[in-house]
């Protein structure tokens, strides 16, 4: 039985985004291990549920920040022990620091496991700050030499990954996101009861966002936009948790929007909340992809989205989305008001949303990931690993 170790920086990442990949590995007869910082749960998850699914859990003290050098070096040492004690054959690592510590540990270990890295959005990209290029591009260039397969989730990253010096016989694959469940996220017409639960008036215009509360996700721009709208029956629900929660609460209070803008925390019922939405706001400055927006599209909810490399994968201006500059409050205000006033446009876009998102479903992504794991397992059988 081959043993696969999945490495992420934040501990809820696997149940949130990688459950289907775990199924693929287990169906291929693999024993799945999961190493993460379980003291940093950005997403809600149940450790017992993961263990019941046969996943072996390992605590590592990895941190997202590059400045936490001591802890991240300790995470490398922890991974070296996990690889040795559990005789790991394949490492599949995610997130920038998860990808760094996972690949360094694989390279330093005597076992030399086969290495897959999924880049959920390189930090060096067209228009990125120069500091990103100075820090992250050289690091990725070096780490690519320790990598057998790089998996990207957008076209721009795919083009850049093709030029990185990955190991001989290595490959680059592109997937369309991590795969969204088209059965779970589908129009149901059942939003009335959920609106009552959320205290959204039935005839109000409801904007929804689902994202971690941080500066990059840029929820403040939508709050500012809502504050400029003359329509007082416009409501905004923000789903997620994160470091900017206190700041956003104060901004909502300062704008006098406490009754119409709500922070709902991390939600496990997004498929129900999306049934209540008239549009989905996605104002991120940077996105590697943006699964939450595709979930909205599959539910027939038009987007008001920032223009970035992630949203360019699925946001089709005039068809399923209105696209704005991330830093333009006025552009977002105009986009929201346009959808508010033009019900026919909203309904026309809603009809196109689901069809435009079908290539991002679990079924489509699994076709590529089967090939990735098939190649990795064949390489392990042939004795190829990171060297």
């Amino acid at each position: 039985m081959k043993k696969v170790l999945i490495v992420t920086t934040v501990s809820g990442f696997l149940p949130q985004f990688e459950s289907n990949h775990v199924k693929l590995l287990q169906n291929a007869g693999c024993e799945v291990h999961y190493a993460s910082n379980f003291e940093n749960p950005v997403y809600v998850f149940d450790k017992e549920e993961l263990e019941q699914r046969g996943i072996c859990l390992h605590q590592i003290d990895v941190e997202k920040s590059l400045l936490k050098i001591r802890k991240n070096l300790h995470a490398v040492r922890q991974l070296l022990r996990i690889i040795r004690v559990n005789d790991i054959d394949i490492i599949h690592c995610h997130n920038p620091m998860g990808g760094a510590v996972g690949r360094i540990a694989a390279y330093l270990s005597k076992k030399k496991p086969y290495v897959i890295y999924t880049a959920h959005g390189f930090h060096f990209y067209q228009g990125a700050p120069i500091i990103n290029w100075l820090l992250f591009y050289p690091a990725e260039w070096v780490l690519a030499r320790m990598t057998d397969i790089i998996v990207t989730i957008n076209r721009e990253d795919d083009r850049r990954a093709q030029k990185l010096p990955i190991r001989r016989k290595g490959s680059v694959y592109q997937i369309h996101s991590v795969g969204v469940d088209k059965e779970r996220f589908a129009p149901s017409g059942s939003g009335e009861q959920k609106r009552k639960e959320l205290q959204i008036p039935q005839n109000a215009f409801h904007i929804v966002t689902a994202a971690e509360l941080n500066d990059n996700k840029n929820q403040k721009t939508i709050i500012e936009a809502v504050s400029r709208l003359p329509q007082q029956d416009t409501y905004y629900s923000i789903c997620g948790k994160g470091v900017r929660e206190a700041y956003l609460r104060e901004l909502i209070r300062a704008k006098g929007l406490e009754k119409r803008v709500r922070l709902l925390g991390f939600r496990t019922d997004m498929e129900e909340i999306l049934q209540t939405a008239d549009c989905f706001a996605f104002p991120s400055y940077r996105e590697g992809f943006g699964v939450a927006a595709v979930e909205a599209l599959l539910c027939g909810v038009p987007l008001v989205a920032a223009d970035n490399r992630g949203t360019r994968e699925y946001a089709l201006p005039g068809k399923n989305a209105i696209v704005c500059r991330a830093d333009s409050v006025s552009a977002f205000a105009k986009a929201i008001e346009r959808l508010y006033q033009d019900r026919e446009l909203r309904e026309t876009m809603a009809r196109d949303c689901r069809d435009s998102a079908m290539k991002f479903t679990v079924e489509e992504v699994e076709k590529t990931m089967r090939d990735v794991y098939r190649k990795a397992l064949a390489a392990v059988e042939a004795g190829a690993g990171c060297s």
Side-chain angles (χ1 to χ4, degrees):
M1 176 183 287
K2 298 297 182 288
K3 299 181 179 181
V4 181
L5 173 63
I6 296 173
V7 181
T8 72
T9 309
V10 292
S11 55
F13 194 88
L14 182 145
Q16 182 73 6
F17 298 113
E18 296 296 309
S19 288
N20 293 307
H21 298 173
V22 170
K23 290 177 185 177
L24 288 176
L25 289 167
Q26 290 178 330
N27 289 341
C30 297
E31 180 178 286
V32 177
H33 294 248
Y34 179 34
S36 188
N37 188 346
F38 295 104
E39 297 174 358
N40 184 22
V42 173
Y43 305 102
V44 175
F45 73 103
D46 186 341
K47 288 178 69 173
E48 290 185 4
E49 189 270 336
L50 294 180
E51 291 171 338
Q52 287 170 3
R53 290 171 54 193
I55 301 171
C56 305
L57 305 183
H58 306 276
Q59 165 67 23
I60 58 172
D61 298 327
V62 61
E63 294 283 346
K64 293 175 70 173
S65 173
L66 288 172
L67 301 177
K68 301 293 182 71
I69 297 173
R70 185 174 179 179
K71 280 202 168 184
N72 287 324
L73 288 175
H74 182 55
V76 171
R77 291 193 291 271
Q78 289 172 313
L79 284 171
L80 282 168
R81 183 178 184 280
I82 293 167
I83 294 167
R84 175 176 55 81
V85 170
N86 297 281
D87 198 24
I88 298 298
D89 298 292
I90 297 169
I91 287 184
H92 188 174
C93 44
H94 302 260
N95 318 122
M97 286 312 302
V101 300
R103 286 183 282 180
I104 291 169
Y107 182 77
L108 295 177
S109 74
K110 293 181 180 179
K111 173 70 175 181
K112 304 300 181 190
Y114 193 90
V115 178
I116 305 166
Y117 172 53
T118 296
H120 295 271
F122 288 135
H123 283 289
F124 48 92
Y125 54 91
Q126 185 177 349
I130 188 66
I131 189 67
N132 286 33
W133 284 91
L134 292 174
L135 288 176
F136 293 104
Y137 186 73
E140 191 58 53
W141 183 272
V142 172
L143 291 168
R145 296 177 179 274
M146 308 174 191
T147 312
D148 295 283
I149 292 177
I150 295 178
V151 180
T152 65
I153 61 172
N154 62 62
R155 287 167 290 182
E156 181 182 328
D157 284 358
D158 184 67
R159 290 192 295 270
R160 297 205 190 283
Q162 296 286 351
K163 298 177 182 179
L164 292 173
I166 59 176
R167 291 188 65 230
R168 188 172 61 88
K169 296 184 180 180
S171 302
V172 175
Y173 291 81
Q174 183 190 349
I175 57 175
H176 295 297
S177 87
V178 294
V180 182
D181 186 342
K182 66 182 180 183
E183 304 302 326
R184 178 185 172 193
F185 293 95
S188 69
S190 61
E192 185 174 333
Q193 185 58 42
K194 201 67 177 180
R195 279 201 174 215
K196 289 180 181 177
E197 179 186 320
L198 298 175
Q199 298 182 321
I200 307 295
Q202 293 301 327
N203 295 323
F205 187 87
H206 189 204
I207 309 160
V208 172
T209 289
E212 185 178 348
L213 307 184
N214 61 37
D215 288 333
N216 175 58
K217 299 300 184 180
N218 195 30
Q219 292 94 342
K220 64 181 175 62
T221 290
I222 306 301
I223 296 171
E224 294 274 5
V226 170
S227 74
R228 295 188 185 184
L229 296 174
Q231 295 85 3
Q232 295 299 300
D233 59 344
T234 300
Y235 286 69
Y236 181 32
S237 295
I238 304 171
C239 304
K241 57 182 290 189
V243 297
R244 296 298 271 170
E245 180 175 344
Y247 167 79
L248 293 175
R249 286 195 186 280
E250 177 55 27
L251 178 61
I252 293 166
R253 188 202 63 76
K255 296 294 181 181
L257 295 171
E258 297 99 319
K259 293 183 179 179
R260 296 194 289 125
V261 178
R262 291 88 176 275
L263 297 175
L264 301 184
F266 180 79
R267 305 291 298 210
T268 58
D269 58 348
M270 282 309 303
E271 69 275 23
E272 297 176 25
I273 292 175
L274 287 169
Q275 306 303 323
T276 74
D278 294 291
C279 77
F280 186 87
F282 207 52
S284 305
Y285 289 103
R286 175 183 60 82
E287 284 290 344
F289 185 78
V291 172
V294 173
E295 292 173 349
L297 290 174
L298 286 170
C299 289
V301 181
L303 306 180
V304 176
D307 181 30
N308 58 57
R309 63 184 163 154
T311 59
R312 289 180 204 128
E313 297 293 306
Y314 47 77
L316 307 175
K319 184 177 176 66
N320 64 12
I322 299 176
V323 178
C324 310
R325 266 181 40 190
D327 60 354
S328 179
V329 174
S330 62
F332 275 105
K334 289 176 183 176
I336 293 167
E337 189 166 23
R338 183 182 173 194
L339 287 175
Y340 176 99
Q341 294 178 337
D342 194 338
R343 185 181 185 88
E344 184 177 347
L345 172 64
R346 201 161 73 233
E347 291 176 349
T348 299
M349 293 176 75
R351 286 194 292 270
D352 289 330
C353 286
R354 185 167 172 83
D355 286 344
S356 69
M358 290 304 287
K359 68 178 180 179
F360 306 115
T361 61
V362 168
E363 292 80 4
E364 293 301 312
V365 172
E366 283 185 355
K367 292 176 185 177
T368 302
M369 289 309 301
R370 281 194 188 93
D371 289 340
V372 169
Y373 290 139
R374 190 179 297 120
K375 177 170 183 175
L377 291 167
V380 171
E381 283 290 341
C386 188
S387 60

